[in-house]
Amino acid sequence: MNIAKSGYRVFSANSSVACTELAKKITERLGVELGKSVVFQESNRETRVDVKESVRGQTIFIIQTIPRDVNTAIMELLVMAYALKTSCAKNIIGVIPYFPYSKQCKMRKRGSIVSKLLASMLAKAGITHIITMDLHQKEIQGFFSFPVDNLRASPFLIQYIQEEIPDYRNAIIVAKSPSAAKRAQSYAERLRLGLAVIHGEAQCSESDMADGRHSPPCVRNTTGHTGLELPSGKQQAPFPGIELPIMMAKEKPPITVVGDVGGRIAIIVDDIIDDVGDFVAAAEILKERGAYKIYIMATHGLLSADAPRLIEESAIDEVVVTNTVPHEVQKLQCPKIKTVDVSMILAEAIRRIHNGESMAYLFRNITTDD
């Protein structure tokens, strides 16, 4: 394709070479060159972006994969978007396969909904549209004042199961907690497999911490002044202390696997695998219940801290993630980690948006529960 006449450019906002691999794969599929720009950190860690070609009147796609240094990646994206905006780009579309801070999408005591803040920052920087994949909560789309296309990685992971897992017909899809049951059910129905759910005290439910103000209601002290004096000299009845019913504390039952995994291949599915402690614990329980092979399937492989070592030493046989997040270093540390390429659907989304074509083709057979 002649990029001079294509009407759009594709840039990478990453300063790290490892993070530009996905951008290169996408541009190869589109048949265009990666836009000329320089993104770097100055000696005082400030982010600087230099765009090396004209973008006036063009539609610009910024591909930003999120490495371990999340905050630097966000600043790179914001600074590049603002640089393109001030260079008179027509539209600026962010391609952010893994949307950072997506777990901070609920109010927690006196915290904040950080994903809402990030959505506002992206809009202020000049981004007019976002392409992402498997948001942690689909409701995050409502935080944005512009369109969001939330693509799905499940077709690629399901294809991997069918083609790379021998005897997958003898498998069972497992949700590592009740909150993950809907996603697991979607995989089970599409693969015509059974479903199991792990439930019990070893799991830490995200909803247990959500919201909540633990400060007790104000109880008025009526020992001194027993009422309000009215102008007529009469007293109003004392204001009673507020006594609200106390919510009973949750007590989780002993850990249980709902469903028969004996003599089966157990496939645990989730959207993010970061701290692998829960997955390792789930794998041990499934082994105890008779599963002879255990696979983990997740869209975003953050694999922070000691995740590669813990996976290597665990009962997990294989961890399959997509390349929405760079994890080449972790793969060198743990050969159990496998990668599925999703550049095809991201490239097709870019092409359809640029040509004004419908995105419905990319959401075939996707339901609201997926």
Side-chain angles (χ1 to χ4, degrees):
M1 182 184 293
N2 183 349
I3 62 169
K5 297 180 180 178
S6 65
Y8 75 100
R9 299 282 192 279
V10 180
F11 286 87
S12 172
N14 287 112
S15 57
S16 169
V17 175
C19 297
T20 61
E21 290 302 314
L22 181 60
K24 290 177 181 176
K25 288 183 178 181
I26 292 172
T27 52
E28 285 173 6
R29 291 185 180 277
L30 290 169
V32 301
E33 295 179 6
L34 199 58
K36 296 179 176 63
S37 65
V38 178
V39 182
F40 62 97
Q41 310 299 317
E42 294 188 340
S43 57
N44 63 355
R45 303 299 297 165
E46 287 186 359
T47 298
R48 183 176 291 275
V49 173
D50 288 331
V51 180
K52 299 295 187 180
E53 58 184 283
S54 174
V55 296
R56 184 178 295 273
Q58 301 287 307
T59 295
I60 307 298
F61 293 86
I62 308 174
I63 301 172
Q64 181 69 329
T65 52
I66 306 297
R68 289 189 179 186
D69 191 354
V70 177
N71 295 330
T72 296
I74 290 171
M75 279 307 300
E76 289 171 347
L77 177 60
L78 293 171
V79 174
M80 174 163 273
Y82 191 68
L84 294 167
K85 177 182 177 182
T86 55
S87 298
C88 300
K90 182 180 179 182
N91 293 305
I92 303 169
I93 300 170
V95 182
I96 313 170
Y98 167 64
F99 191 76
Y101 287 99
S102 59
K103 285 190 174 183
Q104 298 190 46
C105 60
K106 296 179 181 178
M107 179 62 74
R108 299 182 186 281
K109 298 183 182 178
R110 293 173 183 84
S112 60
I113 305 175
V114 184
S115 52
K116 167 62 176 173
L117 171 64
L118 183 53
S120 301
M121 291 167 65
L122 292 172
K124 191 69 175 177
I127 288 180
T128 57
H129 192 149
I130 275 183
I131 302 169
T132 188
M133 181 168 281
D134 282 336
L135 287 168
H136 185 58
Q137 298 287 343
K138 292 187 289 295
E139 292 78 9
I140 293 174
Q141 292 175 262
F143 295 160
F144 294 86
S145 57
F146 48 76
V148 176
D149 287 308
N150 183 26
L151 304 177
R152 306 295 196 276
S154 52
F156 295 91
L157 296 175
I158 288 172
Q159 184 181 35
Y160 183 94
I161 292 171
Q162 293 172 324
E163 295 179 356
E164 302 296 333
I165 299 181
D167 195 23
Y168 83 91
R169 292 291 184 188
N170 188 38
I172 185 167
I173 304 299
V174 180
K176 70 178 179 67
S177 64
S179 61
K182 275 191 176 181
R183 182 183 301 273
Q185 181 182 358
S186 173
Y187 276 75
E189 290 174 350
R190 283 168 166 74
L191 290 164
R192 289 16 174 209
L193 298 176
L195 175 66
V197 179
I198 298 174
H199 177 54
E201 60 186 3
Q203 302 301 322
C204 179
S205 174
E206 200 173 312
S207 61
D208 291 348
M209 301 169 60
D211 201 75
R213 300 294 190 267
H214 298 307
S215 302
C218 178
V219 180
R220 295 178 183 267
N221 185 356
T222 59
T223 57
H225 185 63
T226 58
L228 296 177
E229 183 130 351
L230 300 177
S232 61
K234 296 181 180 179
Q235 284 195 331
Q236 187 177 346
F239 193 89
I242 301 174
E243 294 183 5
L244 299 176
I246 298 174
M247 176 65 76
M248 293 181 64
K250 287 185 179 180
E251 184 177 339
K252 293 188 178 181
I255 194 157
T256 307
V257 179
V258 182
D260 182 16
V261 299
R264 300 282 195 89
I265 300 170
I267 303 174
I268 304 174
V269 297
D270 213 336
D271 61 328
I272 299 172
I273 177 167
D274 187 4
D275 178 7
V276 299
D278 286 350
F279 292 94
V280 170
E284 291 174 358
I285 294 296
L286 293 170
K287 277 287 186 184
E288 291 174 6
R289 298 296 193 276
Y292 71 91
K293 266 196 171 181
I294 298 168
Y295 290 80
I296 309 292
M297 315 290 293
T299 304
H300 311 295
L302 305 186
L303 302 169
S304 301
D306 292 333
R309 179 182 61 81
L310 294 173
I311 292 169
E312 187 64 26
E313 296 172 355
S314 72
I316 299 168
D317 292 282
E318 197 169 281
V319 174
V320 183
V321 294
T322 72
N323 57 344
T324 56
V325 177
H327 52 266
E328 293 305 316
V329 174
Q330 290 91 326
K331 286 178 70 175
L332 293 174
Q333 297 171 344
C334 177
K336 291 182 179 181
I337 301 171
K338 308 296 180 184
T339 307
V340 174
D341 181 23
V342 292
S343 61
M344 180 189 301
I345 192 170
L346 294 169
E348 180 63 13
I350 290 173
R351 190 193 67 79
R352 286 177 174 270
I353 289 172
H354 170 64
N355 293 334
E357 298 176 22
S358 172
M359 295 287 283
Y361 180 81
L362 304 182
F363 293 94
R364 291 170 301 166
N365 301 321
I366 300 293
T367 66
T368 54
D369 290 334
D370 290 331

